Structure formats: structure tokens, C-alpha cells
């Protein structure tokens, strides 16, 4: 028989999977007109093959805010993304913020939707290009019905279209 702690862990995991997101556009002052909705899963896109997110364009230094509540899993630098922040949000979704100029959160830090994360920049493989935030959402729970026969289409069971998530924020 599982222990009480095990049952509490299962209950917490299920609750986290069911909580609403209440999404918001993560770049201060931005609207859906500040990115090209057709760039999600656009190809060819450099070494990654397809573009698994959206690029929200803004002036360098514009505030980046958490698209949802959650907890910071990672803050650091990687080759392609430059300065990045990775947040675990509700529904077991990872929110990935890349090409930042600076960041102001720490791993383990809990966030409310709209919490200041950092500033829009051009770090990583965006160096020399117009400043923007690359924003991706990845489901840790596979959604196999989303797969298709496009290039890397099997990955669509994990990568969610930010356009669909953020369209709720405009209403």
C-alpha cells in the first residue's frame, strides 16, 4: 500500500496538471502584432530545422515578464539561445525565454504571472539581428494526437504553439 506521502505527491502532480494558466504576452507592451504567427514550425530554420516558438520583437531592454505563474528551473547561457530562462508552469509546461539582454530571476524562485524576468536582447544566435524574445512552450506530458507528418512532426506532441496559448491573453 502506498504511503500517505506518496498519495500526497500524486495528488499534487495531478493538481499541477489541471491548474489554469491565465497566460499573458511575455513582452511588456507587446500585442499579437509584434510577431509573425506563421513562424511557429516554420522551416527551414537554421540548425534546428524548424522554428519551435515565436519571436516577439521589441526595443532592446524592454521588460520580459512571466507568461504564467510557475517556478524558475534554469537561468543561464546556452549557445543558440544566449541568455535564457526556463520556467515550469501549470499543466506541466515548460516556458522557454531566449535571447535575453539580462535576467533578474533565480532557479527555484516562484513566479506569479507578469513577474519581471529580464530584458529583451539579441544574445546567442540572435546576435546582430533585431532584438526579440524567442518564446517556446513545451509540454512535459506527451500529446500524441498533435503529431503529424511535417518535418520533425513527432515533436509537436511536446512543442505547443504559443500563438494559441497567447491568443487567450488578448481577450
Amino acid at each position: 500500500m502506498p504511503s500517505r506521502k506518496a498519495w500526497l505527491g500524486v495528488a499534487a502532480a495531478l493538481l499541477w496538471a489541471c491548474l489554469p494558466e491565465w497566460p499573458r504576452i511575455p513582452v511588456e507592451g507587446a500585442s499579437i502584432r509584434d510577431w509573425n504567427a506563421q513562424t511557429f514550425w516554420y522551416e527551414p530554420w537554421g540548425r534546428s530545422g524548424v522554428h519551435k516558438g515565436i519571436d516577439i520583437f521589441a526595443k532592446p531592454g524592454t521588460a520580459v515578464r512571466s507568461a504564467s505563474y510557475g517556478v524558475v528551473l534554469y537561468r543561464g547561457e546556452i549557445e543558440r539561445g544566449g541568455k535564457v530562462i526556463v520556467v515550469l508552469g501549470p499543466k506541466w509546461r515548460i516556458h522557454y525565454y531566449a535571447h535575453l539582454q539580462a535576467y533578474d530571476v533565480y532557479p527555484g524562485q516562484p513566479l506569479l504571472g507578469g513577474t519581471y524576468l529580464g530584458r529583451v536582447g539579441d544574445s546567442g544566435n540572435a546576435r546582430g539581428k533585431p532584438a526579440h524574445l524567442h518564446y517556446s512552450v513545451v509540454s512535459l506530458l506527451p500529446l500524441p494526437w498533435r503529431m503529424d507528418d511535417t518535418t520533425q512532426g513527432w515533436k509537436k506532441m511536446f512543442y505547443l504553439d504559443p500563438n494559441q496559448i497567447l491568443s487567450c491573453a488578448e481577450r
Side-chain angles (χ1 to χ4, degrees), residues 7 21 64 71 87 100 136 163:
W7 283 114
E21 272 184 308
V64 173
V71 63
V87 173
L100 300 169
S136 293
N163 294 296

Side-chain angles (χ1 to χ4, degrees), residues 133-155:
L133 172 72
H134 174 88
Y135 177 64
S136 293
V137 182
V138 180
S139 175
L140 294 177
L141 304 174
L143 307 169
W145 58 88
R146 295 181 37 82
M147 289 189 301
D148 62 27
D149 61 358
T150 60
T151 302
Q152 300 181 33
W154 69 272
K155 292 181 181 179

Side-chain angles (χ1 to χ4, degrees), residues 67-140:
S68 185
Y69 57 93
V71 63
V72 177
L73 297 180
Y74 177 79
R75 173 196 96 160
E77 293 194 41
I78 60 176
E79 183 183 349
R80 289 189 206 173
K83 290 183 173 139
V84 303
I85 296 171
V86 177
V87 173
L88 174 62
K91 301 183 184 293
W92 293 102
R93 292 177 176 176
I94 299 291
H95 297 258
Y96 174 76
Y97 306 84
H99 306 311
L100 300 169
Q101 181 183 81
Y103 33 61
D104 196 34
V105 292
Y106 300 91
Q109 180 178 337
L111 304 171
L112 295 172
T115 300
Y116 177 78
L117 299 176
R119 295 192 307 268
V120 170
D122 68 349
S123 61
N125 65 4
R127 180 76 55 219
K129 298 177 180 141
H132 64 278
L133 172 72
H134 174 88
Y135 177 64
S136 293
V137 182
V138 180
S139 175
L140 294 177

Side-chain angles (χ1 to χ4, degrees), residues 20-37:
E21 272 184 308
W22 300 307
R24 61 189 308 142
I25 296 171
V27 175
E28 192 167 277
S31 73
I32 59 173
R33 292 172 294 286
D34 293 306
W35 68 85
N36 182 341

Side-chain angles (χ1 to χ4, degrees), residues 4-25:
R4 184 168 187 220
K5 279 187 176 181
W7 283 114
L8 287 173
V10 168
L14 289 173
L15 178 63
W16 194 252
C18 297
L19 291 172
E21 272 184 308
W22 300 307
R24 61 189 308 142
I25 296 171

